[in-house]
Amino acid sequence: MLTASWAQAQTEVRLAVHKSFELPPAVLAQFERANKVKLTVIKVGSGNEMLNKLILTRANPIADAVYGLDNSNIAKAKQLGVLAAQQPASRAVNATLPYALAMDYGYVSINYDKAWFQKHQKPLPKSLADLAKPAYKNLLVVPSPATSSTGLGFLMANIGGMGEKRTMAWWAQMRQNGVKVTKGWSDAYYTDFTLNGGSRPMVVGYATSPAAEVHFSKGKYTTPPTGNLLLPAGVFRQVEGAAVLNKAKQPALAAKLVQYLQSNAVQQAIPEAMWVYPAVKGTPLPKTFALTPAPRSAWQPNPADMSRQQQRWVSEWTRTVLR
């Protein structure tokens, strides 16, 4: 009996996540204790890198469950057999996601460095068209939609607000205007953004980042040092979810894990761990979120078009901007 108990305690369930995933260790340990398992969190890269890895390994998946697929790439994951046919029941949520349980949502937008714009006495751009003007040359950094879910969300907002033809024409102008492209959001925000020592005072990021800057400043800031450019066709509502993977080695435990990620303990930790909104209804928000209210408008293509056309759009974007 002791041997059986020890073996059960060592059962491992694996969770694939994107590199921005963070939850307090104590919260994850609650799941381990309750189920007498070892939870292994596998960081696979930016959002789309993670999806590509899951596609390549779907015959022998690297994990039992996944956290971080979103409304811009979940349909592709389902279409290519990454997700299990049956998913556990969801709690009541404020944001829904097909083929998975919604975990959080946030808004992709352009963040700007307030001090830089004040120092250079430069007015803020009022439209995406403004960003393509010489006055804003070499000032924007974006994560690539080919490798980053943040970058992909921004591209989806562009297409949703301007249509494919106008979007690609705008990106061609932005290439000429010196837009910088990085692999993921972390590279763009923590390396190239002027707030963190880079040379670009505008970055495609998240509308909650200004509140996060106040939280992590340990009293240095009482108001956010950054702001949001909530430009038409420049804001995307990103909904992330968790799901059991097809051919998971531990499907029953994976289902329990996915449901645990919608528990009060996890949902209450999400806002100040990952700086997105918790999806489960009734979850309280920290006071810092009031510093940057959620955008009132967001843009995206028709969901069916986003699923069918996305790969072609990203390929066209790559040809337009990178080649």
Side-chain angles (χ1 to χ4, degrees), residues 62-81:
I62 59 171
D64 300 293
V66 59
Y67 185 117
L69 296 178
D70 66 22
N71 51 321
S72 71
N73 59 25
I74 191 80
K76 183 177 179 181
K78 178 64 175 176
Q79 190 177 46
L80 294 179

Side-chain angles (χ1 to χ4, degrees), residues 242-254:
V244 179
L245 292 175
N246 190 23
K247 299 184 180 179
K249 291 181 180 177
Q250 299 289 345
L253 283 172

Side-chain angles (χ1 to χ4, degrees), residues 262-291:
Q262 278 193 337
S263 68
N264 290 344
V266 173
Q267 290 289 302
Q268 289 172 15
I270 279 175
E272 289 187 341
M274 290 185 275
W275 294 93
V276 286
Y277 296 88
V280 171
K281 286 185 176 181
T283 306
L285 290 174
K287 292 181 180 179
T288 46
F289 271 55
L291 295 171

Side-chain angles (χ1 to χ4, degrees), residues 8-266:
Q8 183 184 21
Q10 297 305 304
T11 300
E12 181 186 39
V13 60
R14 302 161 299 160
L15 178 66
V17 302
H18 53 58
K19 64 192 237 180
S20 299
F21 175 90
E22 292 292 340
L23 281 177
V27 172
L28 297 178
Q30 287 182 36
F31 177 80
E32 291 181 310
R33 288 194 301 269
N35 294 277
K36 297 182 173 62
V37 297
K38 177 185 177 183
L39 172 58
T40 300
V41 175
I42 305 169
K43 290 198 172 185
V44 193
S46 299
N48 279 7
E49 288 182 298
M50 179 177 72
L51 173 58
N52 291 337
K53 182 71 171 180
L54 294 176
I55 291 169
L56 290 172
T57 60
R58 62 189 182 273
N60 184 24
I62 59 171
D64 300 293
V66 59
Y67 185 117
L69 296 178
D70 66 22
N71 51 321
S72 71
N73 59 25
I74 191 80
K76 183 177 179 181
K78 178 64 175 176
Q79 190 177 46
L80 294 179
V82 169
L83 307 178
Q86 297 294 324
Q87 297 294 334
S90 173
R91 295 179 68 186
V93 290
N94 291 315
T96 60
L97 192 68
Y99 319 121
L101 277 67
M103 295 292 155
D104 64 68
Y105 65 97
Y107 296 88
V108 173
S109 66
I110 297 174
N111 303 134
Y112 69 92
D113 181 347
K114 292 179 178 178
W116 188 95
F117 276 88
Q118 290 170 358
K119 178 181 177 181
H120 292 83
Q121 297 183 335
K122 189 178 288 290
L124 293 172
K126 296 181 179 180
S127 67
L128 293 182
D130 281 351
L131 286 174
K133 294 178 179 177
Y136 300 100
K137 188 177 181 67
N138 299 328
L139 299 187
L140 177 67
V141 57
V142 303
S144 169
T147 52
S148 165
S149 58
T150 311
L152 182 60
F154 186 65
L155 178 60
M156 293 301 101
N158 304 157
I159 294 172
M162 297 189 293
E164 178 185 352
K165 186 176 180 179
R166 285 180 59 204
T167 292
M168 296 308 167
W170 178 75
W171 276 106
Q173 292 176 320
M174 290 302 296
R175 176 176 179 167
Q176 295 301 315
N177 214 37
V179 66
K180 182 170 183 179
V181 179
T182 62
K183 191 175 184 180
W185 171 82
S186 296
D187 301 323
Y189 196 88
Y190 292 111
T191 300
D192 291 295
F193 192 30
T194 50
L195 188 75
N196 296 306
S199 63
R200 307 277 169 147
M202 292 181 288
V203 56
V204 169
Y206 288 88
T208 46
S209 291
E213 291 294 346
V214 174
H215 175 82
F216 289 111
S217 73
K218 298 180 179 179
K220 179 181 177 181
Y221 300 122
T222 54
T223 58
T226 59
N228 293 316
L229 294 176
L230 304 179
L231 306 178
V235 181
F236 179 76
R237 188 174 188 251
Q238 181 184 44
V239 183
E240 289 189 325
V244 179
L245 292 175
N246 190 23
K247 299 184 180 179
K249 291 181 180 177
Q250 299 289 345
L253 283 172
K256 287 185 178 181
L257 174 59
V258 168
Q259 287 190 306
Y260 177 72
L261 292 169
Q262 278 193 337
S263 68
N264 290 344
V266 173

